[in-house]
Amino acid sequence: MKIQVLGPLEAHVNGASIVPSAAKPRQILSLLTLYPGRVVPVQRLMEEIWGSHPPQSALTTLQTYILQLRRRLSAAMGCDAGTSAKDVLATRHNGYVLQIPSGCVDVHRYEELTAQGLAAFESGDNEGSARCYRQALELWDGNALVDVRLGPVLEIEVLRLEESRLVAVERRIDADLRLGRHSELIAELTELTARHPHHEGLHSQAMVALYRAGRQGSALEIYRRLRMRLIEELGVEPSPQLQRLHQAMLTVDPQLDQMAGPRRTSTFDLFAA
């Protein structure tokens, strides 16, 4: 079985799709997929489908959806399979579990690669870190579960995954900056700061990339626009780290030109207290 959630929902057994067309069974499959080998309580599945006001028939309807998923599993597995659909999508006390190895789900591989990327970064292996993060991000095909209706439980899970994706992008750029790839990053960072207009970490990276590319004025303009936006829209000043980065650029601090100094830190924390 191969399942993808980092984009449109895809689930194949022996090359045959087991993804249902109906919205609610898709939600159930998605939620079970995010916890392979772990029991998802009935109450949580019902909350995902009906929120805090399930109908009186909720339990019976949920059991019907599970039966539909098992039928699709059974058809894909074939009659000669040594394992039944009930073994794969198993009933447990007050819940259900998708009995598959975590490696069958793309999220597992993504989290493995991001963990390797972080370990490499912290050990000073910037090339290895950038490579791992790049491979992790290549697993994404659009927004997570983009074609699945999100109830309250899946909505939180998708937010978590999307935040993790943004962190991975930021860390990959940190590694690339330490490798001296500042000029190559400017276009990407221009797009990212436009998409995330209040994200100080991405703006700090854009400032450093521009500064190291000999565009000090453009780097200072990034800070000026961000500061005005934060004041006008949120009523706050930039963080102390960002203010110190700005001051370092004004005074042409030599530390700004160090690609990979002794401190293994993010670009945003380059001038942390």
Side-chain angles (χ1 to χ4, degrees):
M1 183 183 292
K2 293 292 182 184
I3 305 180
Q4 295 173 265
V5 299
L6 301 178
L9 175 63
E10 294 185 20
H12 292 88
V13 176
N14 297 330
S17 175
I18 62 167
V19 177
S21 57
K24 291 177 180 177
R26 289 168 74 90
Q27 288 174 263
I28 293 170
L29 178 60
S30 299
L31 192 50
L32 291 169
T33 292
L34 291 173
Y35 298 96
R38 294 165 57 186
V39 177
V40 180
V42 165
Q43 191 62 39
R44 191 166 194 184
L45 290 164
M46 290 169 60
E47 180 186 355
E48 166 59 26
I49 298 172
W50 293 289
S52 56
H53 302 288
Q56 289 187 343
S57 61
L59 182 57
T60 302
T61 305
L62 176 61
Q63 290 170 342
T64 300
Y65 294 150
I66 293 292
L67 179 61
Q68 291 173 5
L69 289 172
R70 282 176 174 158
R71 284 174 177 164
R72 296 186 71 87
L73 265 171
S74 183
M77 291 165 63
C79 58
D80 295 330
T83 304
S84 71
K86 282 188 175 182
D87 295 321
V88 177
L89 178 46
T91 303
R92 293 291 182 265
H93 178 66
N94 204 32
Y96 297 94
V97 57
L98 197 59
Q99 295 277 42
I100 59 172
S102 58
C104 293
V105 186
D106 59 355
V107 168
H108 176 76
R109 179 60 179 155
Y110 165 77
E111 291 176 343
E112 274 189 342
L113 285 166
T114 55
Q116 292 169 16
L118 179 59
F121 186 84
E122 291 179 341
S123 70
D125 180 9
N126 301 310
E127 191 67 61
S129 178
R131 182 175 60 254
C132 286
Y133 279 123
R134 195 166 283 109
Q135 289 173 353
L137 292 164
E138 285 172 355
L139 294 173
W140 287 75
D141 182 23
N143 296 331
L145 295 173
V146 66
D147 58 348
V148 175
R149 175 187 174 274
L150 303 180
V153 181
L154 278 179
E155 186 173 17
I156 292 171
E157 294 292 341
V158 166
L159 284 173
R160 177 183 66 82
L161 287 170
E162 293 292 348
E163 181 61 28
S164 171
R165 181 188 190 182
L166 185 57
V167 169
V169 169
E170 192 176 359
R171 286 175 173 165
R172 194 222 83 225
I173 292 172
D174 274 332
D176 280 335
L177 281 171
R178 288 171 62 169
L179 289 164
R181 297 169 178 163
H182 34 267
S183 296
E184 298 95 312
L185 292 168
I186 291 173
E188 179 184 8
L189 283 164
T190 299
E191 178 185 355
L192 285 168
T193 52
R195 289 176 178 271
H196 304 279
H198 300 126
H199 195 297
E200 291 194 354
L202 293 171
H203 282 76
S204 70
Q205 292 175 325
M207 290 169 65
V208 169
L210 286 164
Y211 181 91
R212 289 179 179 167
R215 297 171 59 182
Q216 182 185 23
S218 297
L220 294 171
E221 179 63 14
I222 290 277
Y223 178 84
R224 188 193 69 80
R225 290 202 305 265
L226 173 63
R227 181 174 181 269
M228 294 303 299
R229 194 179 303 120
L230 290 174
I231 292 172
E232 292 174 1
E233 298 179 12
L234 303 179
V236 298
E237 288 279 354
S239 65
Q241 292 103 304
L242 205 59
Q243 291 184 43
R244 283 190 286 269
L245 176 63
H246 175 248
Q247 186 61 33
M249 290 184 175
L250 290 173
T251 58
V252 195
D253 191 320
Q255 187 176 341
L256 285 167
D257 294 318
Q258 296 177 13
M259 305 302 181
R263 288 185 66 192
R264 298 187 181 114
T265 186
S266 70
T267 306
F268 181 58
D269 290 328
L270 195 62
F271 290 91

